[in-house]
Amino acid sequence: MMNFTQVPYFTLAAYVDSGLFKYVCFMIIMFLYVVIVFSNVLLIVVICVNRSLHEPMYLFLCSLFVNELFGSTGLFPFLLVQILSDIHTVSPPLCFLQIFSLYTYCSIEFTNLAVMSYDRYLAICYPLQYKTLMTQKKIAILIALTWLYPFIAITVLLSLSVPLQLCGNVINKVYCDNYYVVNLACYDTTVNNIYGLTYTTSLICAVVLIFYSYVRILRVCFSGCKQTRQKAVSTCTPHLASLLNFSSGACFEIIQSRFNMNGVPNILRIFLSLYFFMCPPLFNPLMYGLNLSKIRRLVARAHLGQRPK
């Protein structure tokens, strides 16, 4: 049994020897990463360069797309290296850096979706007061809090995990995960567990607030005219779809971490782990690019090389 303050490396035990198939996996992952980078960068550029999109909803979307790039970069390059490697090990500093980037990405995703639901709530439930309620200063504060709170919270989380004395170095996943690292500790981790539970509860509260906002929005929609309902549906459908997609991935990940999954095929467990980080960055640009007419028109013009009017 290992018994020292820090292990020299972590072993990622979820990888299997797939022979030549690993090159196929490498090409698929590389293709997905390129698509994610291209689609998210395209929408960020379209929003930034077109003044007609400098509205609260699109600025919050821009923040969401930046986060998709941040999270993807924390996973995909690491994953590509590990797929081609014969020895699946990672140094502790790199492992904790990946934990920081992935956990921060997940937290920002939830807070960003919460802010977007609040924005839609004000726009649909208080249309006449919307411009006075959602000022440029308020937009800047909300975006800053969307990023600042997760960065601080995950920094505190890692400050509790890094000093742990570990009695093992095997992580049964394809990437580094704080929960699995804490489980390797030689002594009581009550403080880590309490903080982790508290932070998870704060994210659950954000999800509850999101659903509450959309319940209020739906009540207004059904009591309003047909035009109001159509406008609400066209703007809220992508938000709800993004929330459900990301929440489903989060549920899969929590179930995997907390329950014995030995009866589940290894390939399915790997897919469920990667779904959490792969699908939202692919899904969100597609949803917003196709469903929001303003963005769809400007993307089409950019693709055709035309200047937007």
Side-chain angles (χ1 to χ4, degrees):
M1 180 180 72
M2 298 181 187
N3 192 10
F4 41 86
T5 302
Q6 190 55 272
V7 296
Y9 59 86
F10 291 104
T11 299
L12 301 174
Y15 288 95
V16 294
D17 184 11
S18 55
L20 295 177
F21 184 66
K22 68 181 181 181
Y23 297 105
V24 177
C25 294
F26 178 87
M27 295 303 297
I28 293 172
I29 298 297
M30 175 64 80
F31 173 75
L32 291 176
Y33 185 47
V34 170
V35 171
I36 287 171
V37 171
F38 175 78
S39 58
N40 282 281
V41 168
L42 174 63
L43 292 178
I44 290 169
V45 171
V46 166
I47 292 172
C48 289
V49 301
N50 290 280
R51 295 186 63 85
S52 62
L53 296 182
H54 291 183
E55 300 173 7
M57 180 175 69
Y58 300 107
L59 295 176
F60 295 138
L61 273 178
C62 190
S63 173
L64 185 71
F65 297 144
V66 171
N67 187 48
E68 308 297 6
L69 290 175
F70 173 67
S72 300
T73 303
L75 174 67
F76 280 87
F78 176 87
L79 201 61
L80 291 169
V81 171
Q82 290 295 327
I83 288 173
L84 294 182
S85 177
D86 294 325
I87 302 174
H88 306 292
T89 60
V90 56
S91 65
L94 183 58
C95 187
F96 285 114
L97 177 62
Q98 185 178 52
I99 290 172
F100 176 81
S101 62
L102 295 183
Y103 274 54
T104 305
Y105 155 75
C106 296
S107 304
I108 293 172
E109 195 84 357
F110 275 120
T111 53
N112 211 130
L113 290 171
V115 168
M116 289 167 66
S117 69
Y118 172 67
D119 171 67
R120 291 299 84 204
Y121 167 72
L122 292 181
I124 294 171
C125 298
Y126 301 97
L128 299 180
Q129 299 95 339
Y130 177 68
K131 288 188 176 181
T132 57
L133 292 172
M134 190 60 71
T135 62
Q136 291 297 320
K137 182 179 179 180
K138 191 171 185 178
I139 294 169
I141 291 173
L142 288 173
I143 291 176
L145 289 175
T146 295
W147 287 77
L148 188 60
Y149 172 65
F151 268 81
I152 294 174
I154 301 305
T155 299
V156 174
L157 181 74
L158 287 182
S159 70
L160 297 173
S161 300
V162 171
L164 289 175
Q165 184 179 5
L166 305 179
C167 291
N169 70 336
V170 178
I171 299 174
N172 193 29
K173 299 199 77 169
V174 294
Y175 56 85
C176 292
D177 189 304
N178 185 71
Y179 178 78
Y180 285 79
V181 172
V182 171
N183 282 347
L184 296 173
C186 300
Y187 54 85
D188 183 59
T189 57
T190 301
V191 175
N192 301 72
N193 294 332
I194 291 174
Y195 181 81
L197 182 61
T198 302
Y199 185 65
T200 303
T201 302
S202 71
L203 295 181
I204 293 173
C205 290
V207 175
V208 171
L209 289 174
I210 292 170
F211 280 113
Y212 172 77
S213 298
Y214 283 112
V215 168
R216 294 290 303 273
I217 289 171
L218 289 173
R219 287 182 62 185
V220 171
C221 293
F222 284 116
S223 62
C225 62
K226 182 179 179 181
Q227 185 178 1
T228 302
R229 289 197 297 271
Q230 289 177 340
K231 181 181 178 182
V233 169
S234 65
T235 57
C236 292
T237 298
H239 299 264
L240 279 172
S242 295
L243 177 64
L244 292 173
N245 183 44
F246 192 72
S247 298
S248 299
C251 289
F252 290 152
E253 188 62 18
I254 291 171
I255 290 171
Q256 281 198 97
S257 299
R258 300 307 191 268
F259 298 96
N260 187 350
M261 301 287 286
N262 291 334
V264 179
N266 189 56
I267 190 67
L268 180 58
R269 280 186 284 167
I270 293 174
F271 171 77
L272 293 178
S273 291
L274 295 178
Y275 176 91
F276 193 35
F277 299 104
M278 284 186 175
C279 286
L282 283 167
F283 180 80
N284 288 340
L286 180 66
M287 277 297 298
Y288 292 108
L290 293 178
N291 280 279
L292 298 181
S293 57
K294 263 191 174 182
I295 291 182
R296 187 171 63 247
R297 287 196 300 268
L298 289 170
V299 168
R301 288 173 178 171
H303 180 68
L304 294 173
Q306 300 176 0
R307 290 175 58 87
K309 296 179 181 179

